[in-house]
Structures are given as C-alpha cells and as structure tokens.
Amino acid sequence: MQTGFRLNLSPVKEPLGFIKLVEWFAAMFAFGCCGGYSGRNVISLLCGEGKNETLNVTFTYPFRLNQVLLVEDNATLCNRTMSATHLMGDSSSSVEFFVAVAVLAFLYCMIALLVYVGYMHVYRDSDFGPVFDFLVTAAFAFLWLVCSSAWAQGLQKVKHATGTEGICTSLKSQVNCEVTEFSSMRTLDISVVFGFLNLIIWSGNAWFVYKETCWHSQKRSSRQEAERGRGPGPI
C-alpha cells in the first residue's frame, strides 16, 4: 500500500469532507465571536436634588468580573466616600472552556481535511483511520453540547452582573444607579448560537464518518450474507 501524498479534492465534494469544511468555518466563528470581546457600560448615579454622576465600567474576555474595578478606593460619589468596589461573578471557566473546544475543533478539522485531500487512499485502506475519526468526531459533538450549555449560562451571568440590577447590587445600595448605555453583546450571543450549531453539525457528521468504519461495513456484509442465505421465497 502506497502511503505518499496524493492530492485529491473529490472528498471535499462528498458529505464526509464537505461537512468537515463547514465545521472548520463554524468553529472559527464560535471562538472568534467571543475571544477578543471588550465592552463598556455607562452607569448613572442618582444623587438626588437633580444631581447625577456617571461611572464607566469596561469588561473584557475572559470575563473575570470580580476583578473588574467599578469604584476606586476612597472615591467620592454623591458626596459619599466609597471603598473599592468590583463587579460580581466570574464566567472565565465557561468561556475559556468554550474557546478551548472551538480552537481544538478548528485544528482537528484542518488535520482531517489534510488527510482527506492528500491521504484518502490510506484512510480508506485502514481500519484505524475511520475508527479514530469517528471517535474524535463523536467526542467533539459531546464537548460542543457541554461547553455551549456552560457558556450560555455564563453569558447570562455576565449580562446580569453588568446590568442595572447587578451593578446596584455590587454598589451595595450605597447610591441609586441605572445603566444608561449598554455595550452590545450581539457577538457573544452569536458565539452561543455557533456553539449549538457546531453541536448539530458534528453530530450529523458522526454518521458519515461511521459509514467509513469497519463496524458499518461488517454490519452491511452480515446483512447481505443473511439475505443471500434466505434464498428466493416459495412461489
């Protein structure tokens, strides 16, 4: 069996390779929409007697909000001296897990596509390649389910902590406040959508990879032998 590189783009036109290409783009969009995010909210402090003050809070990936300083120590707001105050919550574990899965999926798709277009003759002549591909594809489908669900929950915590209720809770009701300018979190919402989209794509691709494995071919051969063994029915 020859194992050298043979460029053949036909696998990309088949579901096996085409879906892998779609997975590559979907994984790239998943981590690209949240990896470099930076947002800024403007908070109005209602001091009474018609006097208002404003605060600006900037939060970025990976959303360790409990390290984001909202009010500096000994700052004077609404004629009150306040201690250092931070936002609430920490969504770094969920978003970093999500990004890690997306980056690993992105890299695996690149490797798989290289094998498909250059070493498909080796891939289909061996049992190890398709079986390994199927197990990794199934594992990524499960990981997309877990990390997307975790990041969707983490994003809700980010929205709450940077909203009016969350910031007023962080200020411990020392002054009345209201968020008047919200940073757009559309890209973060899109990242969650791509996460669950990847779950669907990888789950569907698992079937096409399974058809390349020896398990599927043995099952099909057994069915054909059983049909031949029955012979023609009575006339």
Side-chain angles (χ1 to χ4, degrees):
M1 179 179 64
Q2 297 182 357
T3 59
F5 181 85
R6 298 180 190 173
L7 181 61
N8 181 13
L9 298 179
S10 60
V12 181
K13 302 177 183 179
E14 302 173 3
L16 180 69
F18 179 77
I19 296 178
K20 193 67 69 180
L21 186 62
V22 174
E23 290 173 346
W24 184 75
F25 280 106
M28 178 176 60
F29 279 110
F31 69 78
C33 287
C34 64
Y37 180 84
S38 178
R40 183 177 69 91
N41 284 2
V42 178
I43 304 101
S44 293
L45 304 179
L46 311 178
C47 302
E49 298 179 359
K51 297 180 180 178
N52 296 333
E53 295 188 25
T54 59
L55 286 175
N56 295 324
V57 57
T58 301
F59 49 98
T60 61
Y61 173 88
F63 307 109
R64 293 187 176 92
L65 301 181
N66 54 4
Q67 298 180 10
V68 176
L69 189 63
L70 181 60
V71 179
E72 296 182 355
D73 193 23
N74 295 324
T76 301
L77 294 174
C78 296
N79 298 321
R80 300 181 184 179
T81 301
M82 304 182 64
S83 58
T85 305
H86 297 79
L87 294 178
M88 299 185 305
D90 184 355
S91 298
S92 60
S93 59
S94 60
V95 70
E96 287 177 339
F97 177 42
F98 179 84
V99 170
V101 171
V103 171
L104 289 175
F106 175 82
L107 295 176
Y108 180 74
C109 287
M110 291 180 62
I111 297 173
L113 285 170
L114 176 63
V115 172
Y116 291 168
V117 301
Y119 299 93
M120 199 61 177
H121 56 290
V122 180
Y123 178 89
R124 284 179 168 157
D125 286 342
S126 65
D127 293 336
F128 174 78
V131 169
F132 178 81
D133 194 12
F134 169 73
L135 293 177
V136 173
T137 301
F140 268 114
F142 175 75
L143 288 173
W144 278 116
L145 171 62
V146 176
C147 73
S148 299
S149 300
W151 171 222
Q153 185 177 9
L155 179 55
Q156 291 303 315
K157 293 180 180 178
V158 172
K159 291 181 177 180
H160 177 266
T162 57
T164 297
E165 183 179 353
I167 290 179
C168 288
T169 303
S170 299
L171 292 173
K172 301 175 182 178
S173 301
Q174 297 182 51
V175 292
N176 295 323
C177 68
E178 180 183 0
V179 178
T180 54
E181 293 184 22
F182 288 89
S183 174
S184 174
M185 296 189 183
R186 185 177 302 172
T187 57
L188 300 182
D189 292 328
I190 292 174
S191 70
V192 173
V193 172
F194 269 103
F196 286 106
L197 179 63
N198 271 286
L199 165 63
I200 297 172
I201 298 173
W202 284 81
S203 299
N205 191 33
W207 164 247
F208 292 101
V209 179
Y210 173 74
K211 291 175 66 176
E212 300 290 332
T213 64
C214 56
W215 302 328
H216 181 265
S217 59
Q218 290 173 357
K219 185 177 180 180
R220 183 173 54 188
S221 299
S222 299
R223 186 184 301 112
Q224 292 175 349
E225 291 176 0
E227 292 175 353
R228 285 197 300 266
R230 284 196 293 268
I235 300 176

